């Protein structure tokens, strides 16, 4: 790739003095705008700053590569700044990194998976060469740096390194699957060359699996290194090898040490014979493992990533069944057990009601303890369904299964004659019995007690307190989006309907649209404040909201619970209160917008208008709060960065 084709001397700055990360980014954004590469400085700046909140864009050796993907970018480009005085406030993989070389990438959204990855990979590869990076840092003028961008040394200096007859294979993977994945790979290969060790890295990134390890390599390798922050794909391939795990950032700091530790482990624990049919990973005493905090975060990210397709598939299947029944007057077919429409309804509701939570729990456990934890993880999710604890119970079960299996793998290792028995019987069976029993008999009763208490409390607030009751139902529906609190409200509403009180369920069904509508509206109207993943979620949730499915907003809520949950509760409480105040009722359990023709309590047109209008008013309130809270969060981050820079400036002056 010719880097000069994506920049120009006017996009390069050398010798400037900046006092904060934000100041550098603003300067480079202005350069891109002046060169006609972006339409809106404000929108693109917000996209870059939003990306900064996800993970560090500073690396090591004075390097930082911030980047933004936005529809306001006309064509892919990058701007460069060489700082006269290094910055120490840039969040970096290496805590001691003092940023002196900043490369800001501007990528159109349509090229996020192509140009972005290609450019980032090329930059990472070149900047891994210290001599190349030093030439850029010591460029005196913009033009000089521009001319050096594609001036690579083709002939490497040969070092007198003793060649060892050792082969290490490695996997690198980060949550985003972009920068850190490739930089860690380059660091490991470079360190291997310096140590005389052959290192082959498989990158599991945003482009999928790259440089996949061949069968010949798997047989030849002496050990494997997992430098990852997410679960490894097809980990069973490495069951025969001594294994060590570390974070994706670790090789950027001490790649040589990691390789040496892997070699030492290979000496202590010689590899087994490669078995292509064996899919269970061997246990290991992980050196340089993840911190507990990172393990929790990675577990949630992995579980949610596997759960999202189930939510979308199940929600849209159920919505299709409801839409067909309402549009063509097929309610009898919809409710008749065994009919084609009933089966379609069961398929959608089964994906949401039966599979979603077990998949969440299973893959959270898988992230922590690999494939042996899948069985107990699924069991924990099924148990969560049985005790009615929803996705929160599934998350707890996923943690429980993952850490229990991790404990078992450490203390009951598959060795010798019984290795297969331990891997294929002891781990899944004992894990399932222990984790399932804890979920059913220890956690289940307290959660059931909480649910029953909530139902009784709600029941005592009927009658003259209808407005308060409606507001409470609304708040509970959106508090955990299908979890135990939501289920408690649902149970109460169904019970009230059976007793002849049809108002609570009307409030419940109207509120179920609020979270989905507000998330979609917020990510469209205030799109500059939300990241790409959130905007993708927003595109889908309104459709689920039409069917009264709240679970589509769960990934959005998990990303920022302390702002999203109160925002959703506020709008939902207003919706519930409005419906209850006007005594709108619903005598048939319905789903979302498709209950519009069934509401009662007022003349049909008025009742339908109030019922739908309440949902739209609640969604409007939640949307405004979602945008305001996110905007304030981003402003606070900018002010904090500027305050830090100002304090440093004042301190330097004194």
């Amino acid at each position: 790739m010719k880097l000069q084709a994506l920049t120009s001397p006017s996009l390069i700055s050398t010798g400037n003095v900046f006092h904060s990360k934000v100041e550098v980014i603003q300067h480079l954004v202005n350069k891109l705008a002046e060169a006609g590469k972006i339409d809106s400085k404000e929108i693109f700046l917000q996209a870059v700053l939003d990306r900064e909140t996800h993970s560090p864009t500073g690396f090591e050796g004075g390097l930082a590569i911030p980047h933004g993907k936005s529809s306001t970018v006309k064509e892919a480009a990058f701007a460069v700044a060489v700082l006269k005085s290094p910055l120490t406030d840039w969040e970096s993989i290496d805590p001691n990194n003092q940023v002196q070389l900043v490369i800001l990438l501007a990528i159109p959204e349509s090229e996020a998976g192509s140009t972005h990855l290609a450019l980032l990979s090329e930059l990472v590869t070149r900047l891994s060469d210290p001599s190349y990076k030093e030439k850029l840092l010591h460029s005196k003028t913009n033009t000089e740096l521009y001319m050096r961008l594609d001036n690579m040394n083709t002939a490497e200096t040969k070092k007198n390194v003793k060649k060892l007859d050792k082969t290490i294979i490695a996997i690198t993977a980060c949550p985003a699957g972009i920068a850190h994945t490739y930089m860690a790979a380059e660091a490991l290969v470079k360190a291997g060359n310096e140590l005389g060790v052959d290192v082959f890295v498989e990158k599991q990134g945003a482009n999928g699996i790259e440089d996949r390890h061949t069968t010949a390599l798997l047989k030849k390798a002496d050990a494997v290194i997992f430098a990852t922050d997410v679960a490894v794909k097809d980990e069973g391939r490495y069951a025969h090898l001594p294994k060590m795990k570390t974070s994706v950032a670790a090789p950027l700091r001490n790649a040589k040490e990691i390789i040496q530790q892997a070699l030492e482990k290979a000496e202590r624990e010689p590899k087994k014979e490669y078995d292509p049919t064996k899919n269970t990973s061997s246990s290991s005493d992980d050196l340089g493992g993840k911190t507990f905090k990172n393990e929790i975060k990675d577990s949630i990210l992995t579980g949610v990533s596997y759960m999202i397709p189930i939510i979308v598939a199940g929600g849209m299947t159920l919505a299709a069944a409801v839409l067909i029944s309402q549009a063509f007057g097929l309610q009898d077919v919809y409710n008749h057990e065994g009919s084609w429409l009933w089966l379609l309804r069961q398929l959608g509701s089964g994906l949401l009601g039966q599979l979603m939570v077990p998949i969440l729990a299973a893959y959270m456990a898988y992230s922590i303890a690999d494939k042996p934890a899948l069985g107990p993880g699924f069991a924990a999710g099924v148990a969560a369904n049985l005790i009615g604890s929803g996705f929160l119970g599934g998350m707890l079960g996923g943690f429980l299964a993952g850490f229990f299996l991790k404990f078992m793998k450490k203390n009951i290792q598959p060795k010798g004659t019984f290795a297969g028995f331990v891997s294929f019987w002891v781990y899944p069976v004992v894990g399932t019995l222990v984790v399932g029993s804890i979920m059913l008999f220890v956690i289940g009763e307290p959660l059931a007690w909480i649910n029953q208490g909530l139902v009784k409390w709600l029941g005592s607030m009927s009658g003259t307190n209808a407005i308060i009751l409606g507001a409470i139902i609304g708040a509970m529906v959106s508090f955990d989006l299908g979890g135990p609190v939501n289920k408690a409200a649902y149970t109460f509403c169904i019970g009230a309907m059976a007793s002849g009180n049809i108002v609570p369920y009307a409030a419940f069904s109207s509120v179920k649209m609020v979270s989905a509508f507000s998330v979609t509206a917020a990510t469209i109207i205030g799109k500059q404040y939300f990241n790409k993943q959130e905007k993708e979620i927003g595109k889908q949730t309104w459709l689920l909201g039409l069917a009264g499915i709240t679970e589509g907003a769960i990934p959005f809520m998990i990303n920022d619970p302390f702002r999203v949950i109160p925002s959703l509760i506020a709008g939902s409480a207003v919706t519930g209160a409005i419906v209850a105040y006007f005594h709108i009722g619903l005598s048939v359990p319905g789903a979302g917008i498709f209950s519009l023709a069934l509401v009662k309590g007022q003349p049909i047109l008025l009742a339908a208008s109030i019922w739908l209008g309440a949902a739209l008013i609640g969604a409007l309130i939640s949307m405004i709060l979602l945008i305001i809270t996110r905007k304030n969060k981003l402003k606070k981050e900018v002010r904090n960065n500027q305050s830090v820079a100002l304090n440093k400036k004042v301190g330097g002056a004194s």
Side-chain angles (χ1 to χ4, degrees):
M1 175 182 284
K2 295 284 288 183
L3 295 182
Q4 290 174 344
L6 296 173
T7 190
S8 66
S10 64
L11 290 173
I12 297 172
S13 303
T14 56
N16 294 60
V17 176
F18 299 98
H19 302 289
S20 70
K21 173 177 74 173
V22 174
E23 192 178 339
V24 181
I25 292 174
Q26 288 174 331
H27 172 79
L28 294 178
V29 169
N30 289 337
K31 288 283 186 182
L32 289 164
E34 290 168 4
K37 302 296 183 181
I38 56 178
D39 286 322
S40 170
K41 292 190 293 184
E42 293 76 15
I43 293 177
F44 181 65
L45 175 62
Q46 194 61 58
V48 177
L49 295 179
D50 184 57
R51 171 60 186 83
E52 288 294 307
T53 65
H54 294 169
S55 59
T57 55
F59 297 98
E60 45 88 35
L63 175 65
I65 309 180
H67 42 282
K69 292 170 283 185
S70 173
S71 57
T72 195
V73 179
K74 296 180 181 179
E75 59 177 327
F78 66 89
V80 183
V82 178
L83 281 57
K84 188 173 183 179
S85 301
L87 290 176
T88 58
D89 70 332
W90 204 299
E91 295 83 359
S92 302
I93 293 174
D94 180 0
N96 299 317
N97 188 33
Q98 297 188 18
V99 173
Q100 198 169 2
L101 176 62
V102 181
I103 303 176
L104 173 61
L105 312 187
I107 308 294
E109 275 190 331
S110 60
E111 299 179 31
S114 53
T115 306
H116 184 200
L117 296 179
L119 175 57
L120 198 51
S121 178
E122 184 69 22
L123 284 169
V124 165
T125 301
R126 296 193 186 190
L127 291 166
S128 296
D129 181 355
S131 63
Y132 176 80
K133 184 168 61 178
E134 287 300 314
K135 286 182 179 179
L136 298 186
L137 282 171
H138 290 96
S139 298
K140 301 298 183 183
T141 65
N142 303 355
T143 302
E144 185 179 357
L145 191 150
Y146 175 77
M147 297 305 296
R148 289 178 173 179
L149 282 171
D150 290 314
N151 185 16
M152 292 287 293
N153 289 330
T154 54
E156 295 185 3
T157 304
K158 296 291 184 180
K159 295 185 179 180
N160 187 20
V161 178
K162 182 181 179 181
K163 188 70 174 176
L164 303 178
D165 187 21
K166 296 291 182 181
T167 299
I168 299 292
I169 55 179
I171 289 179
T172 58
C174 63
I178 306 176
H180 300 165
T181 299
Y182 294 95
M183 294 196 77
E186 291 294 331
L188 287 169
V189 172
K190 178 184 173 184
N193 291 335
E194 294 176 1
L195 292 171
V197 177
D198 292 326
V199 178
F200 299 90
V201 184
E202 176 180 302
K203 296 173 280 292
Q204 297 187 358
N207 275 339
I209 296 180
E210 299 178 59
D211 301 322
R212 188 181 183 93
H213 293 140
T214 63
T215 300
L217 267 179
L218 291 169
K219 291 179 179 179
K220 182 181 180 182
D222 296 289
V224 62
I225 297 169
F226 291 153
T228 64
D229 285 342
V230 295
V232 174
K233 298 173 184 175
D234 299 332
E235 187 174 344
R237 294 174 288 162
Y238 307 97
H240 63 297
L241 292 173
K243 180 193 314 174
M244 73 164 288
K245 294 185 177 182
T246 187
S247 68
V248 72
L252 301 181
R253 297 190 295 268
N254 53 3
K256 286 185 180 179
E257 181 181 340
I258 291 171
I259 293 174
Q260 288 170 340
Q261 288 177 340
L263 292 173
E264 291 170 5
K265 191 162 192 180
E267 290 293 327
R268 296 195 309 268
E269 304 174 19
K271 66 180 181 180
K272 303 171 186 176
E273 185 176 352
Y274 173 67
D275 182 359
T277 65
K278 192 170 183 179
N279 294 319
T280 308
S281 60
S282 59
S283 61
S284 63
D285 180 18
D286 300 336
L287 298 174
K290 302 176 186 177
T291 64
F292 179 74
K293 179 181 176 181
N294 284 337
E295 201 156 33
I296 293 292
K297 180 194 72 174
D298 298 341
S299 174
I300 294 174
L301 287 173
T302 301
V304 169
S305 69
Y306 280 94
M307 181 182 69
I308 288 175
I310 304 302
I311 292 175
V312 175
M316 294 312 301
T317 302
L318 182 58
V322 174
L323 178 61
I324 291 170
S325 68
Q326 296 283 357
F328 298 100
L330 299 176
Q331 285 285 359
D332 291 340
V333 180
Y334 180 81
N335 293 317
H336 182 69
E337 185 173 350
S339 69
W340 66 273
L341 198 51
W342 182 88
L343 291 173
L344 191 64
R345 164 192 172 188
Q346 294 302 309
L347 175 62
S349 60
L351 286 170
L352 288 174
Q354 299 172 26
L355 279 185
M356 182 184 74
V357 172
I359 284 176
L360 170 68
Y363 283 97
M364 285 178 62
Y366 169 68
S367 175
I368 296 170
D370 307 324
K371 202 166 288 185
L374 277 174
F378 275 112
V382 172
N385 282 341
L386 290 174
I387 61 179
S389 60
F391 86 98
L392 293 175
M395 291 177 66
L396 180 61
F399 290 137
L400 179 63
F403 286 113
F404 181 72
L405 263 294
K406 187 175 183 180
F407 171 81
M408 286 187 67
K409 288 172 65 181
K410 183 176 181 180
N411 293 278
I412 307 174
Q413 298 186 6
K415 295 180 180 179
T417 306
F418 294 99
F421 175 75
V422 170
S423 297
F424 291 102
W425 197 93
V426 175
Y427 287 163
V429 174
V430 174
T432 296
L433 287 173
V434 171
V435 173
S437 297
I438 293 174
M439 290 290 293
L440 291 172
F441 306 120
V442 178
I443 298 173
E445 188 171 343
L447 285 178
W449 178 82
I450 292 172
N451 277 344
Q452 292 170 5
L454 288 170
V455 170
K456 290 180 180 178
W457 180 51
L458 284 171
S460 68
M461 297 191 68
S462 59
T464 57
N465 295 317
I467 296 177
I468 298 175
L469 176 62
I472 292 174
I473 290 173
M476 294 182 71
V477 170
S478 295
F479 177 78
D480 55 0
L481 302 178
V485 178
N486 177 291
K487 291 295 190 293
Y490 174 77
T491 302
F492 167 76
C493 294
I494 290 294
M497 182 188 294
S499 302
N501 186 348
I502 61 175
V503 172
Y505 193 85
F508 177 85
S509 60
S510 180
V511 170
K512 289 196 78 178
M513 297 184 287
V514 171
S515 60
F517 289 174
S518 62
V519 165
T520 295
T523 53
I524 292 175
I525 295 175
K527 61 183 179 180
Q528 65 269 34
Y529 303 118
F530 299 93
N531 60 42
K532 183 180 179 182
Q533 181 189 19
E534 290 168 332
K535 285 185 280 190
E536 287 299 318
I537 294 170
K539 291 177 183 178
Q540 304 162 359
T541 55
W542 73 275
L543 288 171
L544 301 179
L546 288 176
I549 297 168
T550 60
E551 285 83 353
I554 287 175
F556 193 93
M557 182 183 72
I558 289 176
N559 286 342
D560 194 6
F562 296 109
R563 292 174 178 82
V564 172
I565 292 176
S567 299
L568 297 182
I569 286 176
S572 299
V574 171
T575 295
I578 292 174
V579 173
Y581 176 77
F582 286 99
H583 300 287
I584 307 300
L586 191 60
S587 58
V588 178
I593 197 71
F594 310 112
S595 298
L596 193 61
L598 304 174
V599 292
K600 300 179 179 180
Q602 302 285 348
I604 183 62
L605 186 59
L606 178 60
S609 299
I610 293 172
W611 184 82
L612 179 59
L616 296 177
I617 290 171
L620 176 64
I621 293 170
S622 291
M623 177 204 73
I624 292 171
L625 292 174
L626 286 171
I627 293 174
I628 290 174
T629 54
R630 177 56 64 88
K631 185 177 180 180
N632 288 340
K633 175 188 175 184
L634 297 174
K635 283 184 176 179
K636 183 178 179 181
E637 291 171 353
V638 171
R639 285 198 302 268
N640 289 340
N641 289 332
Q642 291 174 340
S643 177
V644 170
L646 181 61
N647 289 338
K648 289 182 178 179
K649 184 177 180 180
V650 172
S654 61

